[in-house]
C-alpha cells in the first residue's frame, strides 16, 4: 500500500516538473514596452552623439521590440496590438531610418518627435493615454559611450 502511494507521488512529481518546463515564458506587454523605451532613449543619445551606426542599431532593436509585441501580445485587453503597430509606427520609423542614413541631425530630431508622438498616440488608442513619450534629457545608462565613433 505504502509503495503505491510513493509511486503515485513520484509520478505526479515528474509530470509537474515536466509541465513547468514546457510552460514557455511569454513576456508581458509592459515588459516589452520597457525595453522599447530603453531603445527609444538610447536612440536619441546615439544620434545626438552622431554615432550613426549605433543609432541604426538601436532603431533595429526598437523595431524588434515591436515585432515581439505583435508576436507575444497580439491582443492586449481587447486591443488588436499586432494590427495597431504598423499603421501607428511605420511612417515615423521610416523617417527616422532615412535621417540616420543621411546622417542628418535636423531631420532626425523632427522624425524622432514624430515617433514619440506615435508612441503616445497608440497609448491613447489603447486606453493608456497617461503614458506619454518625449525626448529624454539624461542617458538611460552612463557606462556606454553614445558619441564613440567607430
Ligand atoms: C501598438 C500600440 C503601441 C505603440 C505603437 C507603442 N506602445 Fe507603448 N504601450 C502600449 C500599451 C497597450 C501599453 C500598456 C501595457 C500594459 O498596460 O501592460 C504600453 C506601455 C508603454 C510603457 C509603460 C511601461 C512601463 O512600465 O511604464 C512605455 C514606457 C511605453 N509603452 C513606451 C513606448 C514607446 C517609447 C513607444 C514608441 C517608440 C511605444 N510605447 C509605442 C502600446 C503601444
Amino acid at each position: 500500500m505504502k509503495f503505491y502511494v510513493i509511486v503515485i507521488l513520484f509520478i505526479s512529481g515528474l509530470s509537474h516538473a515536466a509541465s513547468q518546463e514546457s510552460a514557455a515564458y511569454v513576456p508581458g506587454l509592459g515588459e516589452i514596452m520597457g525595453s522599447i523605451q530603453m531603445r527609444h532613449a538610447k536612440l536619441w543619445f546615439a544620434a545626438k552623439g552622431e554615432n550613426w551606426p549605433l543609432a541604426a542599431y538601436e532603431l533595429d532593436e526598437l523595431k524588434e521590440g515591436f515585432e515581439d509585441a505583435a508576436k507575444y501580445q497580439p491582443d492586449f485587453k481587447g486591443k488588436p496590438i499586432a494590427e495597431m503597430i504598423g499603421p501607428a509606427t511605420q511612417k515615423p520609423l521610416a523617417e527616422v531610418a532615412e535621417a540616420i542614413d543621411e546622417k542628418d541631425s535636423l531631420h532626425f530630431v523632427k522624425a524622432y518627435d514624430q515617433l514619440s508622438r506615435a508612441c503616445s498616440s497608440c497609448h491613447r488608442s489603447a486606453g493608456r493615454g497617461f503614458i506619454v513619450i518625449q525626448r529624454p534629457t539624461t542617458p538611460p545608462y552612463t557606462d556606454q559611450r553614445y558619441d564613440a565613433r567607430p
Side-chain angles (χ1 to χ4, degrees):
M1 187 57 193
K2 251 187 190 163
F3 175 74
Y4 288 117
V5 171
I6 288 166
V7 167
I8 288 165
L9 283 177
F10 179 71
I11 290 171
S12 81
L14 277 183
S15 75
H16 182 67
S19 74
Q20 279 202 326
E21 269 168 33
S22 64
Y25 170 72
V26 176
L29 188 58
E31 210 175 322
I32 297 169
M33 285 292 155
S35 87
I36 288 176
Q37 173 181 33
M38 185 262 288
R39 300 300 180 187
H40 177 264
K42 283 187 169 190
L43 173 62
W44 173 260
F45 289 100
K48 224 180 142 193
E50 297 188 350
N51 187 340
W52 299 110
L54 179 62
Y57 170 83
E58 298 299 351
L59 181 63
D60 270 350
E61 296 289 319
L62 195 154
K63 286 181 189 163
E64 277 175 25
F66 283 132
E67 282 164 25
D68 283 350
K71 183 171 162 195
Y72 295 113
Q73 299 291 339
D75 292 292
F76 177 79
K77 303 192 171 162
K79 302 285 179 187
I81 291 298
E83 285 159 38
M84 290 163 77
I85 292 170
T89 65
Q90 225 156 31
K91 203 171 165 280
L93 286 176
E95 279 294 319
V96 173
E98 212 178 282
I100 292 171
D101 267 359
E102 295 165 350
K103 303 180 170 56
D104 183 340
S105 295
L106 275 179
H107 187 183
F108 176 86
V109 168
K110 266 180 76 177
Y112 188 89
D113 285 343
Q114 273 177 36
L115 177 62
S116 304
R117 278 195 296 274
C119 305
S120 305
S121 148
C122 191
H123 294 156
R124 278 196 301 276
S125 313
R128 292 285 187 276
F130 51 85
I131 303 171
V132 183
I133 303 302
Q134 62 176 9
R135 295 180 196 174
T137 53
T138 320
Y141 298 98
T142 52
D143 57 355
Q144 181 178 359
R145 294 245 334 246
Y146 298 96
D147 64 345
R149 289 177 221 177

